[in-house]
Amino acid sequence: MQTVIDDEWVRLVNPHGAEWNARVKDLLEASAAQRAAYDGAVPYRVGPRP
């Protein structure tokens, strides 16, 4: 999960609640396997994945 802070930074949250900031330029899109692993670890999510 991520929240956009501004054009350069996002706030990331993992399924266990840990949060950290990351530069957009340092991020890669998750693979289908990584998305499935995340979805399996998150007990509840609202709405469909974009």
Side-chain angles (χ1 to χ4, degrees):
M1 173 177 285
Q2 69 183 25
T3 300
V4 176
I5 296 172
D6 59 29
D7 289 342
E8 292 187 38
W9 292 92
V10 294
R11 182 88 173 153
L12 304 173
V13 182
N14 74 11
H16 304 289
E19 300 180 17
W20 65 98
N21 293 341
R23 287 185 185 268
V24 172
K25 69 177 187 170
D26 295 330
L27 301 177
L28 300 173
E29 187 171 343
S31 69
Q34 290 169 321
R35 288 174 188 251
Y38 182 87
D39 290 345
V42 176
Y44 179 76
R45 187 179 74 231
V46 175
R49 178 182 291 282

